[in-house]
Amino acid sequence: VVMTPSHKVITPETSIRSISILGSTGSVGTNTVDLVKLTPERFSVTALSANRNVALLAEQARALKAKIAVIADESYYNDLKEALSGSGVEIAAGRRAVIEAAMRPSDWIMSAIVGTAGLEPTFKAVERGAIIGLANKECLVSAGKIMINAIKQQGATIIPVDSEHFSIWFGLHSIDNNKINTIYLTASGGPLIDTPLKNFKNIKTSQALKHPNWKMGKKISIDSSTMMNKVFEVIEAKNIFDIPYNKIKILVHQKSYVHALIKFNNGLIKIIVDESFSESKLEAEIEKSCGHLTEGAYGNCWEDWQMSSGGAATITILLLIFIITAIPATSYLYRLIKSDITDWRNRKLLIRNRR
């Protein structure tokens, strides 16, 4: 239920998808808005919400012609009202209003509110059986069992937007969990990975916020620097994919070229790579989600990714992966072939001596 959506196939050429973006002014939210702007004819925006960023929320609501814009901090209600004056956009404020926005009918909802504040709105979206792009880890970390049970009962669909989990979700399509040996979540190690332990007492906030590969919000940047973010991801993976903890491992990969690896019982290993490591955004993951939602069943998601991967960057990554994997394999094959040749020569000598 979590991994395999049962919604009917809808083609982007003939249908408009209604969406709501909760946390539209954060990093994932703004990227989602940018993607909607690329093909506005494919989407109808039901609701946008933000915590305090009135100016950006109003700008987004006008640009996307949202039906309602909600500011979580009630003290900013008048500011939002003024900013959206004459726009025709409905205005609301407060925690209850955010929850009600999540309950409004829409084909798809992006849950991108940071922290536990996103838990109740997401749960309400689950209760109405929505398709949810989940960028909020806390939903499955603090209430994983409750959330998963509700998803199953209500027929909702969760699509993880986080790069590691989306990669696993994508890679496990139609595969029985019993065939999985190990799931590897990659970790960059954050900005402090090479910092000597003796220097940790002198670390400044600015250092911890300076992620080497990604430009993210402050909370997730700090969680990344302490590796706590990866602990959350392990818990999230366990709940999303119904995989025991002893089958989930963390692999430090500082360049972030590889998002996840899946090792199966038969020895096969799936390596999921993505070219967006060079960007500060998550376009690739969200584009895959949007493509799936508009095109129905998994369709051409992989082909779409290959087409949009930026050519040279993708080839470079694939070559790197090939080199990394091919050299050990070639070395092994060489040793194996050499051993066989030696055995063959020894047998030939033995036969000759017997003659």
Side-chain angles (χ1 to χ4, degrees):
V1 176
V2 179
M3 294 174 58
T4 309
S6 58
H7 298 269
K8 63 181 180 180
V9 175
I10 297 178
T11 59
E13 292 79 7
T14 59
S15 302
I16 295 175
R17 302 292 275 175
S18 59
I19 70 169
S20 294
I21 307 171
L22 305 182
S24 66
T25 60
S27 58
V28 174
T30 52
N31 289 322
T32 307
V33 168
D34 288 344
L35 288 167
V36 172
K37 286 180 180 178
L38 291 177
T39 53
E41 69 281 359
R42 291 172 58 183
F43 300 99
S44 169
V45 178
T46 300
L48 299 174
S49 82
N51 188 28
R52 294 190 180 92
N53 195 336
V54 169
L56 183 54
L57 177 61
E59 179 187 324
Q60 292 173 340
R62 286 181 180 274
L64 299 180
K65 297 180 174 60
K67 292 181 174 60
I68 184 171
V70 182
I71 194 80
D73 190 328
E74 294 183 33
S75 64
Y76 287 84
Y77 174 78
N78 289 331
D79 293 335
L80 183 62
K81 183 178 180 181
E82 183 179 346
L84 286 173
S85 177
S87 66
V89 178
E90 185 182 344
I91 300 159
R95 173 177 162 274
R96 189 70 239 169
V98 175
I99 294 169
E100 289 174 357
M103 295 169 65
R104 291 197 175 203
S106 64
D107 296 318
W108 176 56
I109 186 166
M110 172 61 80
S111 173
I113 297 175
V114 177
T116 54
L119 178 57
E120 193 169 1
T122 304
F123 191 79
K124 291 298 181 182
V126 167
E127 285 187 329
R128 66 176 177 82
I131 300 174
I132 302 164
L134 187 64
N136 177 294
K137 290 181 175 63
E138 285 76 10
C139 286
L140 292 174
V141 171
S142 60
K145 188 174 182 179
I146 296 172
M147 189 70 70
I148 294 300
N149 286 340
I151 289 167
K152 292 176 180 179
Q153 290 171 6
Q154 302 301 328
T157 298
I158 290 290
I159 299 177
V161 173
D162 185 70
S163 59
E164 291 84 358
H165 296 88
F166 182 88
S167 297
I168 297 166
W169 179 83
F170 189 78
L172 289 180
H173 171 49
S174 299
I175 294 175
D176 191 332
N177 281 9
N178 293 327
K179 296 180 180 180
I180 300 170
N181 180 282
T182 310
I183 286 176
Y184 293 91
L185 298 172
T186 59
S188 68
L192 309 177
I193 188 169
D194 295 320
T195 304
L197 190 59
K198 63 181 181 180
N199 296 341
F200 265 58
K201 62 181 179 181
N202 299 319
I203 291 172
K204 297 180 180 179
T205 305
S206 57
Q207 291 175 272
L209 288 171
K210 194 175 181 180
H211 196 282
N213 301 335
W214 309 102
K215 184 178 179 182
M216 306 179 292
K218 290 183 178 180
K219 181 186 183 299
I220 192 170
S221 294
I222 293 296
D223 286 345
S224 178
S225 69
T226 62
M227 294 290 284
M228 193 65 198
N229 187 54
K230 206 54 56 176
V231 175
F232 291 155
E233 289 182 5
V234 169
I235 299 170
E236 188 179 6
K238 186 260 184 188
N239 286 322
I240 293 175
F241 307 112
D242 193 23
I243 300 291
Y245 285 124
N246 62 1
K247 288 190 174 184
I248 305 171
K249 299 186 185 301
I250 297 172
L251 179 66
V252 175
H253 167 51
Q254 289 182 257
K255 294 296 184 181
S256 300
Y257 296 164
V258 177
H259 287 318
L261 298 94
I262 306 168
K263 182 179 180 181
F264 298 96
N265 293 329
N266 63 2
L268 174 69
I269 297 177
K270 278 192 177 182
I271 300 174
I272 299 95
V273 299
D274 199 295
E275 55 82 32
S276 62
F277 66 87
S278 61
E279 305 287 337
S280 62
K281 298 186 174 184
L282 298 173
E283 280 104 334
E285 285 75 27
I286 301 172
E287 277 180 331
K288 288 178 208 169
S289 296
C290 289
H292 166 68
L293 294 174
T294 53
E295 295 178 14
Y298 293 82
N300 296 320
C301 287
W302 187 246
E303 287 82 352
D304 291 344
W305 174 81
Q306 289 177 312
M307 293 289 287
S308 65
S309 294
T314 302
I315 293 170
T316 301
I317 298 167
L318 292 176
L319 283 173
L320 285 170
I321 296 300
F322 174 79
I323 291 168
I324 291 168
T325 56
I327 288 176
T330 304
S331 176
Y332 171 75
L333 287 172
Y334 171 76
R335 291 196 304 272
L336 188 64
I337 293 168
K338 185 178 179 182
S339 174
D340 287 344
I341 291 172
T342 302
D343 287 346
W344 176 77
R345 284 176 176 171
N346 288 338
R347 288 174 186 173
K348 190 174 180 180
L349 284 172
L350 181 62
I351 292 170
R352 186 181 297 171
N353 290 334
R354 284 178 178 176
R355 286 177 180 174

